[in-house]
Amino acid sequence: MSVAESGEFGLIARITARLGAQPSTILGPGDDAAIVAVPDGRVVASTDVLVEGRHFRRDWSSALDVGHRAAAANLADIAAMGAVPNALLVAFCGPPDLDVRWAEELTDGLAAEAERAGAAVVGGDISASPVLTVAVTALGDLRGREPVLRSGARAGDTVALAGRIGYAAAGYTVLSRGFRTPKALVEAYRRPAVPYSAGPAAAELGATSMIDVSDGLLADAGHVASASRVVLDIDRDAFAIPEQMRDAAAALGVDPYSWILTGGDDHALLATFPPGVEPPELFQIIGSVSEGSGVTVDGKPYGDGPLGWEHFR
Amino acid sequence: MSVAESGEFGLIARITARLGAQPSTILGPGDDAAIVAVPDGRVVASTDVLVEGRHFRRDWSSALDVGHRAAAANLADIAAMGAVPNALLVAFCGPPDLDVRWAEELTDGLAAEAERAGAAVVGGDISASPVLTVAVTALGDLRGREPVLRSGARAGDTVALAGRIGYAAAGYTVLSRGFRTPKALVEAYRRPAVPYSAGPAAAELGATSMIDVSDGLLADAGHVASASRVVLDIDRDAFAIPEQMRDAAAALGVDPYSWILTGGDDHALLATFPPGVEPPELFQIIGSVSEGSGVTVDGKPYGDGPLGWEHFR
């Protein structure tokens, strides 16, 4: 059955039947708006949009994968503020002939990824459109802590990273060359494994800055450097290249460090910590902060190419 | 200059430079997420998406108009819960050859309508897409009051309406027949005039149910009737047909009551009040609630056609 045959209200009923709730969900879908508990009195909110052909391809990713990725991209932004995600709202646009199962599986992916982060899908909107588009807004609670901004890194801080890096970019390269393996890389492109708990844990330990790595490690380190008016120097040897990534890089004639340093979409969390502070579990030290401006790798500027991804290229 | 020439970060800089803030804006655009004060500890959140060719046409509405309408559709949902809107997040997708001025004027419309409601645009995302798409999420605060749901109408309540009704549908018919006047109707289609303050005022006076009229008066009254398990009876004579609407209806061969009873997009607020309660300013009594199920006009079922708008037709 197509979404057009299902009808707007039929599709909404099918979608909402698949959603769960969290203790923070005061009112879920079905009224004019949802209501979510944010006991802190400050709500953290972020929006990201995924467009077919630009952010995903239906022949590369299942609806379930797209749901996981759309949710993860937003939930990671909440975690990167040091906040705890609690809700998602989803605007979904699709062609009238789309199979309702695609919309249902997208919903399952969104709901499952939200649950991983402790959140629930609490509302949304659907519309017909020639282009499959998924716009997600994530909400979260600071639990009494101050937010961790991009602007707080100071000379002398250490730079640390939580989560996989380079995997999604490697998987993208593999798929774009027409291959479907190594599976670990392709799966990483399809579904990020965001270390949600590392965000609040970093905030708790006094992280001075934090960012969700979505544009690429050096590009996002650059956003922190620029907002904090410092240099972030990345130590290339901090990254051991996993065997599957090394093999794929050799087979495809790619420098694996280009995946690690400039690939986006893994949604790792990059944070800086004051001198003497041991970063929390899941974080690994990958560099240091010093006076100046910009990003360096082993003390030198990196390559001549772009540092990451621009969405209007 | 096109948005592609401007580049993602260039366009974001141009857009954010045009945005204001509200006292509730703790952190605006520029970091991983925005932070908004919701002193109540419960955030009210709603998402609506507008797609070119489906919800707007660039030859019928300016970018400024589309911004006003996209913001109003969402802010009205917050007001219909009895809450006070405070923030918008916007996901904007447009073709790479779109003139940056269109995106800037859209932003101005969103920001101006948000300001009318006491809110600010605090964040968002942009992407290239073949189809112009604007997905907006609105946030609001309940200020210590209980939310007004669709499910609280009781037999004996009065039904009241705040805001214009039928104007947007009349303007849409005028435009779709190739005319550009009467201007009052066309302008009403382009920019709803939402009575935002009427929502919290109704909540304050003990409204038993409330809904934003976006699908059409009878369709949305039907949502309240169904959630509350009652009949909402609408008194046709409660509506005086404005002279311009009467003239346009006669010229176009349309029953003006079809605009009033089934037209959407004015974003009026429909509420029910307990017996003996005088509805607040801006509301006008248009019917009554009784035992049973469904919606009637002057005690009888209305016509055979659809009661409103379905988005996957």
Side-chain angles (χ1 to χ4, degrees):
Chain A
M1 182 168 46
S2 72
V3 294
E5 284 158 358
S6 169
E8 182 184 7
F9 295 113
L11 184 58
I12 289 173
R14 280 164 175 275
I15 287 174
T16 53
R18 307 176 88 85
L19 299 175
Q22 291 284 350
S24 60
T25 312
I26 298 172
L27 184 69
D31 216 296
D32 285 11
I35 307 179
V36 178
V38 278
D40 182 275
R42 298 168 295 176
V43 63
V44 180
S46 180
T47 291
D48 262 302
V49 60
L50 267 59
V51 178
E52 182 175 18
R54 192 133 195 109
H55 301 93
F56 65 90
R57 284 172 52 160
R58 271 187 275 173
D59 56 340
W60 285 5
S61 297
S62 70
L64 203 60
D65 293 331
V66 175
H68 274 277
R69 188 134 70 92
N74 281 276
L75 295 162
D77 281 326
I78 303 301
M81 302 299 283
V84 179
N86 53 22
L88 296 182
L89 295 102
V90 182
F92 169 68
C93 308
D97 64 357
L98 185 74
D99 195 301
V100 289
R101 277 176 304 187
W102 204 93
E104 289 174 344
E105 284 170 19
L106 175 81
T107 305
D108 291 346
L110 289 159
E113 188 68 25
E115 200 181 350
R116 273 200 63 221
V121 178
V122 299
D125 189 24
I126 58 173
S127 174
S129 168
V131 179
L132 253 176
T133 306
V134 187
V136 178
T137 300
L139 306 178
D141 187 68
L142 284 161
R143 304 228 172 145
R145 285 185 300 266
E146 283 314 294
V148 184
L149 308 184
R150 298 177 177 187
S151 53
R154 294 292 170 260
D157 287 354
T158 53
V159 178
L161 186 77
R164 294 190 303 212
I165 191 80
Y167 278 72
Y172 178 86
T173 306
V174 165
L175 285 166
S176 62
R177 300 280 181 91
F179 300 102
R180 299 271 163 163
T181 55
K183 211 165 158 53
L185 302 180
V186 169
E187 283 302 314
Y189 164 76
R190 291 179 175 144
R191 298 191 195 178
V194 182
Y196 297 114
S197 63
E204 191 68 41
L205 280 180
T208 52
S209 73
M210 189 152 45
I211 191 167
D212 156 41
V213 178
S214 55
D215 292 335
L217 180 59
L218 297 186
D220 286 311
H223 297 144
V224 171
S226 149
S228 301
R229 299 162 187 264
V230 292
V231 171
L232 266 66
D233 183 55
I234 306 298
D235 175 12
R236 206 177 104 132
D237 289 342
F239 303 96
I241 309 284
E243 194 180 326
Q244 284 180 308
M245 197 184 288
R246 183 180 307 275
D247 292 348
L252 299 169
V254 174
D255 174 4
Y257 283 103
S258 73
W259 289 332
I260 286 173
L261 297 173
T262 68
D265 284 335
D266 282 304
H267 299 289
L269 298 178
L270 181 74
T272 55
F273 292 90
V277 170
E278 178 82 15
E281 213 187 354
L282 303 176
F283 277 94
Q284 186 201 342
I285 291 177
I286 62 159
S288 59
V289 182
S290 55
E291 314 244 347
S293 71
V295 175
T296 52
V297 176
D298 297 337
K300 296 185 291 282
Y302 178 78
D304 333 294
L307 295 181
W309 178 251
E310 269 241 6
H311 287 99
F312 273 109
R313 268 195 316 215
Chain B
M1 181 168 48
S2 72
V3 294
E5 284 158 359
S6 170
E8 181 185 8
F9 296 113
L11 183 58
I12 289 173
R14 281 165 175 273
I15 286 174
T16 53
R18 307 176 89 84
L19 300 176
Q22 291 284 351
S24 60
T25 313
I26 298 172
L27 184 69
D31 216 296
D32 285 12
I35 307 177
V36 179
V38 278
D40 182 275
R42 297 169 295 175
V43 62
V44 180
S46 180
T47 292
D48 263 301
V49 60
L50 268 58
V51 178
E52 181 174 19
R54 190 128 198 116
H55 302 94
F56 65 91
R57 285 173 51 161
R58 271 187 274 172
D59 55 340
W60 285 6
S61 297
S62 70
L64 204 60
D65 293 332
V66 175
H68 274 276
R69 187 133 72 90
N74 281 277
L75 295 161
D77 281 325
I78 303 301
M81 301 299 284
V84 179
N86 53 22
L88 295 182
L89 294 102
V90 182
F92 169 69
C93 307
D97 64 356
L98 184 75
D99 195 302
V100 290
R101 278 175 304 188
W102 203 94
E104 289 175 344
E105 285 169 20
L106 174 80
T107 306
D108 291 347
L110 288 161
E113 188 69 25
E115 200 180 350
R116 274 200 62 224
V121 179
V122 299
D125 189 24
I126 59 173
S127 175
S129 169
V131 179
L132 253 175
T133 306
V134 186
V136 178
T137 300
L139 306 178
D141 188 66
L142 284 162
R143 301 226 175 146
R145 285 186 299 268
E146 283 314 292
V148 184
L149 308 184
R150 299 178 176 186
S151 53
R154 295 290 170 261
D157 287 353
T158 54
V159 178
L161 187 77
R164 297 190 303 211
I165 190 80
Y167 278 72
Y172 177 87
T173 306
V174 165
L175 285 166
S176 61
R177 301 279 181 94
F179 299 103
R180 297 274 165 161
T181 57
K183 210 166 160 55
L185 302 180
V186 169
E187 283 301 315
Y189 164 75
R190 290 178 175 144
R191 296 190 197 180
V194 183
Y196 298 113
S197 63
E204 190 68 40
L205 280 179
T208 52
S209 73
M210 189 150 48
I211 191 167
D212 157 41
V213 179
S214 54
D215 292 335
L217 180 58
L218 297 186
D220 285 312
H223 296 145
V224 171
S226 148
S228 300
R229 298 161 187 264
V230 291
V231 171
L232 265 67
D233 182 55
I234 306 298
D235 175 12
R236 207 178 103 133
D237 289 342
F239 302 95
I241 309 285
E243 195 180 324
Q244 285 181 307
M245 197 184 288
R246 183 180 307 277
D247 293 349
L252 299 169
V254 172
D255 173 6
Y257 283 103
S258 74
W259 288 333
I260 285 174
L261 296 173
T262 68
D265 283 336
D266 282 304
H267 299 289
L269 298 178
L270 181 73
T272 54
F273 293 90
V277 170
E278 177 83 15
E281 214 187 353
L282 303 176
F283 277 94
Q284 186 202 343
I285 291 177
I286 62 160
S288 59
V289 181
S290 55
E291 314 244 347
S293 72
V295 176
T296 52
V297 177
D298 297 336
K300 296 186 290 285
Y302 178 78
D304 333 295
L307 296 180
W309 178 250
E310 269 240 7
H311 285 98
F312 272 109
R313 269 194 314 216

